[in-house]
Amino acid sequence: MGVMKTTDGAVDDKAIIAAAEKALGEIALIRKEVGKVIFGQESVVEQTLLAVLSGGHALLVGVPGLAKTKLVSTLGTVLGLNSSRIQFTPDLMPSDILGSEVMDQDDNGRRSFRFVPGPIFTQLLMADEINRASPRTQSALLQAMQEYHVTVAGQRNDLPQPFHVLATQNPLEQEGTYPLPEAQLDRFLMQVDVGYPELAAERQILLETTGTHESEAGGVIDAAQLRDIQQLIRQMPVSEKVVDAILSLVRSARPGNGNAATDKNVAWGPGPRAGQSLMLCARARALYDGRLAPSIDDIMALAEPVLQHRMALTFAARAEGMSVRDVITGLVKQAKG
């Protein structure tokens, strides 16, 4: 689906509204199917879906056993995407992700190299426990996540479209984890914090998953329909007030921009990619809620998942027990006035 324009070049509002209504129905079915398997965790499901609908990648952070991997595999089924899974370990090598060249010999004895694609050549890559691999292996994902192709032996290899990385990460306090490089964190559209389920949801988990039959999610859309929704989201109008709110929030999170609390507590803040992420995710959240344009409330609701992995605190702030979330909460309160 290209940009919807009339013959005179103007944006066709009726076509956009019709496409939005179709997308709303598809999103409702997606939520219903995911809800058959993932109980509770509404905000986690919402934020992860928003990242995919926006065309980006998401980092799911939480202790083991909170259905992070289950959510990712379920989304692959529901969205009709080809998916593969990589279990990250300390001895994983870049070639285990990207693929490698092997030597072939034909009937005449001539030898040549042939590229064997790795598991990254898929539409939905589940990067399980991504922070258990070394920085060298993490670097293999940088080009793929930003440019949607990889270079092996000097040759460019394009990835399938759409391409999304949904990674799970264990808390850094646990054994055997490496902090992700800042450059890689910035490539994730959102960091989704996965907490423990509510009592009612945990009761449902016990009852639904320990019997002889477990519910399974079915496919709702395919890759082409997902790309249509992603294109629609990029066409949704954004008011000047919302754009100003995005710029004000992102810039207030950077030291040296006149915010006293930020200057005191933040070592480095979010770059322009944070503003781009807020713009896309706010549009997606509006569509997710059945609206045709984002509001300032969408920006404030998405501030934490979009900004928290793109900032670092000073040593003094960490020593005082402050967290990045505390800083973002303060910035949101200031923005709301």
Side-chain angles (χ1 to χ4, degrees), residues 12-24:
D12 189 343
D13 292 336
K14 289 183 179 179
I16 290 181
I17 292 171
E21 289 175 350
K22 179 175 179 288
L24 286 173

Side-chain angles (χ1 to χ4, degrees), residues 161-216:
Q161 293 296 320
F163 172 71
H164 302 280
V165 176
L166 295 182
T168 67
Q169 174 178 298
N170 294 332
L172 291 177
E173 295 77 17
Q174 294 193 347
E175 291 293 328
T177 60
Y178 297 85
L180 292 183
E182 289 82 358
Q184 184 172 354
L185 284 172
D186 195 34
R187 282 161 170 76
F188 285 103
L189 203 66
M190 284 200 283
Q191 175 180 315
V192 182
D193 291 331
V194 184
Y196 293 106
E198 299 290 336
L199 175 60
E202 192 160 5
R203 178 186 297 275
Q204 190 176 6
I205 291 170
L206 294 179
L207 297 175
E208 296 282 349
T209 61
T210 59
T212 57
H213 174 74
E214 284 192 38
S215 298
E216 294 183 1

Side-chain angles (χ1 to χ4, degrees), residues 104-169:
D104 284 340
Q105 182 171 316
D106 62 18
D107 295 337
N108 298 320
R110 285 195 296 263
R111 296 177 180 179
S112 60
F113 284 102
R114 175 172 57 88
F115 177 62
V116 179
I120 200 171
F121 287 86
T122 187
Q123 292 173 321
L124 183 68
L125 178 66
M126 183 196 307
D128 217 359
E129 296 188 303
I130 190 172
N131 59 327
R132 292 201 182 279
S134 67
R136 179 186 179 188
T137 301
Q138 298 293 348
S139 67
L141 287 174
L142 291 177
Q143 184 182 24
M145 291 176 68
Q146 181 63 28
E147 301 173 25
Y148 300 100
H149 66 262
V150 297
T151 303
V152 179
Q155 296 296 315
R156 169 175 169 154
N157 298 274
D158 291 325
L159 296 171
Q161 293 296 320
F163 172 71
H164 302 280
V165 176
L166 295 182
T168 67
Q169 174 178 298

Side-chain angles (χ1 to χ4, degrees), residues 45 50 56 75 126 177 224 286-287:
V45 172
L50 292 184
L75 286 179
M126 183 196 307
T177 60
L287 188 64

Side-chain angles (χ1 to χ4, degrees), residues 56-59 145-146 181-191 250 253-255 266-281 302-313 324 328:
H57 316 290
L59 180 65
M145 291 176 68
Q146 181 63 28
E182 289 82 358
Q184 184 172 354
L185 284 172
D186 195 34
R187 282 161 170 76
F188 285 103
L189 203 66
M190 284 200 283
Q191 175 180 315
V250 171
R254 300 172 187 162
V266 177
W268 49 267
R273 195 178 280 140
Q276 295 171 321
S277 301
L278 271 175
M279 180 85 89
L280 285 172
C281 291
L302 293 166
E304 185 174 303
V306 170
L307 296 181
Q308 63 177 329
H309 57 296
R310 294 181 162 101
M311 302 169 60
L313 300 182
V324 171
I328 296 173

